[in-house]
Each structure stands twice: as structure tokens, then as C-alpha cells.
Amino acid sequence: MLELKNVQTFYGNIQVLKDVNIDIREGEIITLIGANGAGKSTTLLSVSGIVPPRSGDIIFDGKSVTGKAPHDIVAMGISQVPEGRRIFPYLTVMENLDMGAFLRKDKRAVKKDMGHIFDLFPILAQRRHQAGGTLSGGEQQMLAISRALMARPRLLLLDEPSLGLAPIVTRRIFDIIKKVNLEDNTTIFLVEQNANFALKVAHRGYVMENGRIVLSDTGLNLLANENVKKAYLGG
Ligand code: ATP
């Protein structure tokens, strides 16, 4: 469904991604783990068109998205949940969700999808008229994921959903990620520093070091890998 082929991405003349190759099949949860500054966020920003690669190619559903504008990439079926959530703090929960459906013309279906979101996240239904900025960190993460889902993506890009959240809240968020993957058949590309959580939900994972993919395997095999344990799992 998504293929990154020899992707090289730069900020000015600093090269961050070096020959990155990643392959994601429809229906999978794929995680990219790695240390701070390894280039994980840049990988997602390259896919969503915010920081386009300088060379290489990114293919989605057989079509190249390289060099396309971010809104065109959203329209093709890829939505991103940015690191740090970045919901609209002064808009209500419902208005935030409406913003996620900005490009859609099927307004009746949008309404139905909002109902589906409220089934998935009953707390957001309770808080529907509350300003986004007044929600807790976990609720804001749920809102950020929901806002991205309102575009009806086939591929959801998630940048560090666990950032700043207590373990119990992180567990809830990961349960919801699994549910979205299973029930809505949404393919998920998850970037995480919390490798332990991420490898447990992912079908397969990639390990990035200094802008390069150094290892890839099933989530379970990576959890058992001695090098991964030492570097990313605290033991
Ligand atoms: P983190 O978990 O801290 O977000 P990451 O693996 O996602 O780390 P990136 O955010 O992709 O890493 O950053 C990769 C490298 O690119 C880092 O060295 C970072 O300092 C640099 N970088 C990121 N954004 C920019 C930018 N806008 N301009 C210049 N350099 C940047």
C-alpha cells in the first residue's frame, strides 16, 4: 500500500533520511522506532508531503505521492496525527472534528462518521461543546486521532501518540489504535519512542538509527532481539 524507495530527505543542506526503504501492506500496523533525533518524524513528514524528499520515491496505492502538496496527499487517503497533537485549542471538540473533514463534500456521511467517533471515544461525546485546549493530554490525543480519522484515511500516520501521557492512558490510546486498525480496516504507520508499547501492537517494525533503517522484523521478534532490548527496551 505504501512504499518508500531510497528516500533521502534534507533540512537545508543537512541530510536527515539516508536511503530509507519501508514497505507497508494494507491492513498492517507498522511501527518505526528509534532514538530521539533518529529521523522518525521526518519520515512521516516526508510521506505527508510537509517535508518532501529530495530524492527517492514514495508510492501509495501504486501512485507516486512524491512532490505532491500535503492537501492532495490527504485527499488521496493519507492523514497524519502530528507529534504533540496540535489540536485547535480554542475550537470545540466538534469544531476540531469538522476541521478534519474539511476536504470532504459528503456532509451527511461526515455527520455519521462523527457519530462513529463518539462511539469509539465516549469521553469526546461528553465534551463535544468544550474547547479542545481544556481537555486532558490523553483526551487531546484522542481528539487528534479522531480529527485525522474524520478525513476517512486509508492510511493513518501517527507521530508519538504516547508522548507526555501516563502509562495507563498510553495503554488506552494503543487499544484504540488496534481497534481502528481492526474495525475500520485502517492501515497504520506508527512512530514511537516507547518501543515496548509500539512493538506489542505492531505486526512489523523498523528500527532507525541516524536516518537509516538498520533492522526490520515482526513486532514479536524485535521485542525478543537482544540489540533492540539493550538499546530501546531498557534491558
Ligand atoms: P524525536 O523523537 O525527537 O522527534 P525523530 O526521530 O522523530 O526524533 P526528527 O524529528 O525526524 O527525529 O529529527 C531528525 C533530525 O533532523 C534531528 O537531528 C533534528 O534536529 C533535525 N531536524 C528536525 N526538524 C528540523 C528542521 N525543521 N530544521 C532543521 N533540522 C531539523
Side-chain angles (χ1 to χ4, degrees), residues 205-221:
Y206 290 81
V207 181
M208 180 170 262
E209 279 172 16
N210 296 320
R212 287 184 200 281
I213 301 295
V214 294
L215 194 61
S216 82
D217 207 332
T218 62
L220 287 178
N221 284 347

Side-chain angles (χ1 to χ4, degrees), residues 32 205 225:
L32 175 63
N225 180 297

Side-chain angles (χ1 to χ4, degrees), residues 67-117:
K68 286 199 188 302
H71 63 268
D72 289 329
I73 295 177
V74 174
M76 287 170 81
I78 302 179
S79 288
Q80 182 168 5
V81 182
E83 184 174 346
R85 316 188 244 286
R86 306 218 201 108
I87 51 132
F88 300 106
Y90 300 111
L91 298 185
T92 66
V93 165
M94 283 180 82
E95 287 165 343
N96 267 278
L97 294 176
D98 273 334
M99 293 302 275
F102 187 71
L103 290 173
R104 288 177 57 183
K105 310 254 183 303
D106 49 341
K107 294 301 168 201
R108 201 174 294 169
V110 166
K111 217 166 183 188
K112 200 168 148 229
D113 286 353
M114 204 179 282
H116 176 58
I117 293 289

